[in-house]
Amino acid sequence: MTAEPTEPPSQTVYRLLRRAIIEQALRPGARLPEDAIGEQFGVSRTVVRQALGRLEAEGLVETRRNRGAFVAEPTLEEANQIFEMRHVLEREVIERLVKRISVIGLDSLEAHVVQEERVRGKNGPVSIRLAGEFHTLLAELSGNTVLARYVAELVSRCSLILAMYSRKHSSDCAVDEHRQIIQALRDRDPAKARRIMDEHLGAVAGRAELAEEKEDDLEAVLARYGREMTA
Amino acid sequence: MTAEPTEPPSQTVYRLLRRAIIEQALRPGARLPEDAIGEQFGVSRTVVRQALGRLEAEGLVETRRNRGAFVAEPTLEEANQIFEMRHVLEREVIERLVKRISVIGLDSLEAHVVQEERVRGKNGPVSIRLAGEFHTLLAELSGNTVLARYVAELVSRCSLILAMYSRKHSSDCAVDEHRQIIQALRDRDPAKARRIMDEHLGAVAGRAELAEEKEDDLEAVLARYGREMTA
DNA sequence: TCAAAAATTATTGTATACGATTTTATCATG
DNA sequence: CATGATAAAATCGTATACAATAATTTTTGA
């Protein structure tokens, strides 16, 4: 039996915090004190710090000197730039996939959409995450890992933006649009694929309105997300 | 007088290591032991670790579990993907600049090329860095900070690739090509600008051949780059 | 002499300790 | 009562200590 190399704790913390942010359990502006997080996850500040550092590099977290880390609050200008770049990169993804996506690739997209359908309307946070992961999966199928990494980063930052500037994350329509994208790829129709992706991203970006603030209960959130760690 | 907030030590270490890698004073595969670096810079392993973490996130450094950090050694496949993405993004940069670059922007590009000319042939490492920074400057002038960040990252990773796969970093020709790019932007000629950028990047990518290994003297390099820190 | 096992060394991974900085609370004073 | 100074608390930034792991060397037995 191969001795599976266990994941380093900093990565676990990183992963869980990231998911909590993307699923909007931790909302923009929320404080992220090192000792509170470390205590919940049963690790020292050292490893929490590493995780926060990575999240900061990805733009999901902002840290202020001697003040600590906070879930990032992108300005409207940043939000526009992020959407712009996402658009540029996802267009590139589609262009590549229309040319050379494999049957296996199409199947994995189908499988993902089926998953999305399954949680449709049931679980808000999870459906938010799955909707984003559809785009990440597309980018991965492009075969260029750099492109995939950038898209993943931008998609996750978009979750943050929607949390700030849209009233509700109505991802119901998204599933149908995702199906349309798959169909266009299957048809090998570049114009159609590009048009649908443009519309889809436009729809996502269009949900930008102002939303009211809502306080988080950090401990409760961490307890929920930390279960995986202590178990 | 405004009390200038002094740079955190981890960022200094990050900056100096980054420059050492980009200027090829630390070559791909070189070991980066935490205590040796910390001793040279007069800081603890804690801050060295932070710097190495950031460099890893950018793809300039690879760390192997319980083995330590090394200057990254991109494979040929990774190298191709990086060049591809750089091409995609820089094309986007040019497209935007042709439309809306300001006179001030053009001036700053001119000023940079003058600098490049000044060190032409004199100092290898510095001219390598300046050649890259021309592209970073272009991306910054696009006004999209995300785009600028990605281009900066890719440009620096290209230095690494050239260090591995090209015999010599003959950046002499680059200065002229940079001038041509500026001219095309001045003329607001999209087709020409794009063609020149394509040729330029093709020329850069074309220098990919196999190079012999060469051992580094870590201490000497760090002493050189660390002067700025201890002073 | 060679190979395998054991011991040694070197280096990383994590926790903890302590000083520094910022924020908050307290209190005196106009 | 407002306000500014001072003290207290909370939190971060960095150094250091120790445990864990991997690499290296030495030892041992055939």
Side-chain angles (χ1 to χ4, degrees):
Chain A
M1 186 179 286
T2 63
E4 171 163 337
T6 177
E7 180 183 62
S10 74
Q11 188 170 333
T12 311
V13 174
Y14 160 80
R15 209 163 35 76
L16 295 177
L17 284 178
R18 184 171 186 277
R19 241 187 47 197
I21 294 172
I22 287 171
E23 295 185 355
Q24 307 189 357
L26 294 170
R27 301 180 67 87
R31 294 207 57 205
L32 301 169
E34 293 169 1
D35 31 12
I37 295 170
E39 201 170 333
Q40 276 289 339
F41 288 153
V43 296
S44 78
R45 281 176 52 214
T46 308
V47 331
V48 175
R49 220 144 202 295
Q50 289 179 56
L52 291 175
R54 251 178 97 179
L55 290 167
E56 186 185 18
E58 286 182 28
L60 290 181
V61 158
E62 288 164 5
T63 74
R64 302 204 261 285
R65 268 265 249 185
N66 286 315
R67 294 279 337 274
F70 302 79
V71 177
E73 298 179 280
T75 65
L76 265 175
E77 192 187 346
E78 288 172 321
N80 283 323
Q81 295 184 352
I82 290 166
F83 268 125
E84 267 182 34
M85 276 312 293
R86 179 174 169 183
H87 207 120
V88 168
L89 294 189
E90 292 225 51
R91 216 181 270 165
E92 180 72 21
V93 168
I94 287 295
E95 202 171 300
R96 286 166 183 237
L97 288 183
V98 160
K99 278 191 235 159
R100 35 175 188 275
I101 191 173
S102 67
V103 176
I104 296 176
L106 285 166
D107 287 348
S108 64
L109 288 172
E110 283 286 2
H112 188 96
V113 172
V114 168
Q115 260 205 304
E116 285 190 74
E117 202 117 66
R118 197 130 44 116
V119 300
R120 185 192 192 116
K122 262 200 287 194
N123 188 336
V126 172
S127 74
I128 292 175
R129 180 165 51 81
L130 285 178
E133 283 175 358
F134 176 80
H135 292 262
T136 306
L137 179 55
L138 275 175
E140 278 167 5
L141 291 174
S142 80
N144 188 314
T145 56
V146 181
L147 180 52
R149 191 163 69 76
Y150 289 163
V151 167
E153 185 178 307
L154 291 171
V155 166
S156 67
R157 294 179 77 179
C158 280
S159 294
L160 221 54
I161 293 167
L162 291 179
M164 285 191 73
Y165 298 110
S166 93
R167 198 159 290 280
K168 215 177 62 182
H169 214 307
S170 59
S171 50
D172 296 332
C173 52
V175 183
D176 293 330
E177 291 173 10
H178 289 175
R179 281 204 185 288
Q180 283 186 286
I181 290 172
I182 296 175
Q183 190 54 49
L185 290 178
R186 216 185 275 288
D187 296 343
R188 310 260 168 206
D189 185 338
K192 184 173 151 205
R194 174 167 171 152
R195 183 176 51 75
I196 292 176
M197 178 58 92
D198 280 356
E199 286 171 8
H200 179 47
L201 290 179
V204 174
R207 302 202 191 98
E209 305 163 46
L210 242 79
E212 76 279 25
E213 290 290 310
K214 198 170 81 179
E215 259 317 299
D216 313 314
D217 183 354
L218 179 67
E219 283 201 19
V221 170
L222 291 181
R224 198 145 28 89
Y225 280 82
R227 210 163 293 145
E228 188 174 329
M229 180 101 191
T230 55
Chain B
M1 185 176 286
T2 62
E4 171 164 338
T6 175
E7 179 182 63
S10 74
Q11 188 169 333
T12 311
V13 174
Y14 160 81
R15 210 162 35 75
L16 295 177
L17 283 179
R18 184 170 185 278
R19 240 185 50 195
I21 293 172
I22 287 171
E23 295 185 355
Q24 307 189 356
L26 294 171
R27 301 180 68 87
R31 295 208 56 204
L32 300 169
E34 295 169 0
D35 30 10
I37 296 171
E39 201 170 335
Q40 277 288 339
F41 288 153
V43 296
S44 78
R45 281 177 50 214
T46 308
V47 331
V48 175
R49 220 144 203 295
Q50 288 180 55
L52 290 175
R54 251 178 96 180
L55 289 167
E56 186 185 17
E58 288 184 29
L60 290 181
V61 158
E62 287 165 6
T63 74
R64 301 203 261 283
R65 269 264 250 184
N66 286 313
R67 292 281 337 276
F70 302 79
V71 178
E73 298 180 280
T75 64
L76 265 175
E77 191 187 347
E78 288 172 321
N80 283 323
Q81 295 184 351
I82 290 166
F83 268 125
E84 266 182 34
M85 277 311 294
R86 178 173 171 184
H87 208 122
V88 168
L89 294 188
E90 293 224 51
R91 219 182 268 165
E92 180 72 21
V93 168
I94 286 295
E95 202 173 299
R96 287 165 182 237
L97 289 184
V98 160
K99 279 191 233 157
R100 35 177 189 276
I101 190 171
S102 67
V103 176
I104 296 175
L106 285 167
D107 287 348
S108 63
L109 287 172
E110 283 286 3
H112 188 96
V113 172
V114 168
Q115 260 204 305
E116 285 191 74
E117 202 118 64
R118 199 132 40 117
V119 300
R120 185 192 193 115
K122 261 201 285 196
N123 188 337
V126 173
S127 75
I128 292 175
R129 178 165 52 81
L130 286 178
E133 282 175 0
F134 176 81
H135 292 263
T136 305
L137 179 55
L138 276 175
E140 278 167 5
L141 291 174
S142 80
N144 188 314
T145 55
V146 181
L147 180 52
R149 192 163 68 75
Y150 289 164
V151 168
E153 185 178 307
L154 292 171
V155 167
S156 67
R157 293 179 78 180
C158 280
S159 294
L160 220 55
I161 293 168
L162 291 179
M164 284 190 73
Y165 298 111
S166 93
R167 198 158 288 280
K168 215 176 63 182
H169 214 305
S170 59
S171 51
D172 298 331
C173 51
V175 184
D176 293 330
E177 291 173 11
H178 289 175
R179 281 204 185 288
Q180 283 186 287
I181 290 171
I182 297 175
Q183 190 54 49
L185 290 178
R186 217 184 275 287
D187 297 344
R188 310 261 169 205
D189 184 338
K192 184 173 150 205
R194 175 168 171 149
R195 182 175 50 76
I196 292 175
M197 178 58 92
D198 280 356
E199 285 172 8
H200 179 46
L201 291 180
V204 174
R207 301 202 192 100
E209 305 163 44
L210 244 78
E212 75 279 24
E213 290 290 310
K214 197 170 83 181
E215 259 318 299
D216 312 315
D217 183 354
L218 179 66
E219 283 201 17
V221 170
L222 292 181
R224 198 143 31 89
Y225 280 82
R227 210 163 292 144
E228 187 174 330
M229 179 100 192
T230 56

